Amino acid sequence: MNYISLCSRQDRIWQDLVRRTAFGFGLEEKTSIRKENKPDSEMRGNTKMSEFRRIVEKLAILIDELKNNNQGIRSDDIPRIVQEAVGHGSGEINCYPGIPSSRCYDIALFISLNSPSYAKGKGHLNCRQAIEKLVQHMQGNCHRRTRIALLITDNWDPAAFYDWEANIRNIRAEAHVEAYLLAGRNVSEINL
């Protein structure tokens, strides 16, 4: 198999995972995608880096609507909002903050809504706590089981990222990790 056909095969595998995630097919069916796919560090040079941006943009719209209607988001609303953004038939995902689960799923979302315009009540994660949860999840019980981690925050903390940068670099060698900054309905990707 030559290099071009290998890349095409990897692109088809990645597109299949994105399609399953974005359009509601069960994620548990595909178990060997990460082994056959390029590590995240090799994907940075092409468009693969932002495949999950659509999910985050839907999440930003839902959060913004709820924020405007309810004057804030409670932390226990986040799993329901995430499920609506991802799609109800998409299989399960790990969500922080959220309802604890003993299972590891293909995708994990780590959400930090801390500004007064978003957060209502207790239980929200600040950016540092969300990064710590990401590291604990991806290097702990769900090591090599969760293949995609999305960190979403309304208040980026560069010092917290710097403190965990080596861990995140190690995680990115085995899994796909993206980070996003929310500002209303606007979504900006954070270059890790």
Side-chain angles (χ1 to χ4, degrees):
M1 186 177 288
N2 65 27
Y3 178 75
I4 293 173
S5 62
L6 178 62
C7 289
S8 294
R9 181 170 181 245
Q10 290 170 335
D11 284 344
R12 282 191 310 274
I13 291 167
W14 183 255
Q15 289 168 356
D16 183 50
L17 176 63
V18 170
R19 190 172 33 262
R20 287 169 183 265
T21 304
F23 299 109
F25 297 101
L27 295 172
E28 294 84 8
E29 299 170 16
K30 200 77 169 169
T31 57
S32 61
I33 291 172
R34 193 77 231 153
K35 293 177 198 165
E36 297 174 6
N37 210 350
K38 293 179 183 181
D40 189 50
S41 59
E42 292 179 31
M43 291 191 284
R44 287 219 166 265
N46 61 33
T47 59
K48 297 294 181 234
M49 189 169 85
S50 296
E51 294 288 349
F52 293 96
R53 183 181 183 103
R54 230 176 321 164
I55 292 171
V56 177
E57 288 172 345
K58 280 175 78 175
L59 189 63
I61 290 168
L62 290 169
I63 289 172
D64 190 57
E65 286 174 1
L66 285 171
K67 173 191 79 164
N68 292 333
N69 292 338
N70 299 336
Q71 285 76 41
I73 309 286
R74 291 188 341 256
S75 63
D76 56 351
D77 291 333
I78 291 176
R80 181 185 50 77
I81 296 167
V82 166
Q83 198 63 23
E84 190 172 330
V86 173
H88 293 289
S90 65
E92 299 212 32
I93 59 174
N94 296 109
C95 180
Y96 297 86
I99 301 165
S101 174
S102 59
R103 294 200 49 202
C104 299
Y105 298 104
D106 285 340
I107 298 178
L109 272 71
F110 305 88
I111 301 176
S112 167
L113 299 178
N114 242 6
S115 69
S117 64
Y118 283 116
K120 175 181 177 182
K122 297 183 184 214
H124 286 281
L125 302 175
N126 62 38
C127 188
R128 177 175 293 278
Q129 291 167 325
I131 291 171
E132 289 170 359
K133 293 284 186 191
L134 185 148
V135 170
Q136 291 167 357
H137 180 89
M138 299 298 287
Q139 290 186 324
N141 289 340
C142 295
H143 182 237
R144 294 190 176 160
R145 289 192 232 160
T146 298
R147 296 178 288 207
I148 300 157
L150 302 177
L151 173 66
I152 302 160
T153 183
D154 65 343
N155 191 5
W156 180 244
D157 183 349
F161 173 72
Y162 179 77
D163 291 345
W164 292 100
E165 187 174 13
N167 294 77
I168 292 171
R169 191 175 327 114
N170 289 335
I171 292 166
R172 290 183 58 220
E174 297 176 338
H176 186 78
V177 180
E178 292 182 9
Y180 292 93
L181 179 64
L182 300 181
R185 293 180 179 220
N186 297 319
V187 174
S188 300
E189 191 163 0
I190 299 168
N191 188 12
L192 300 178

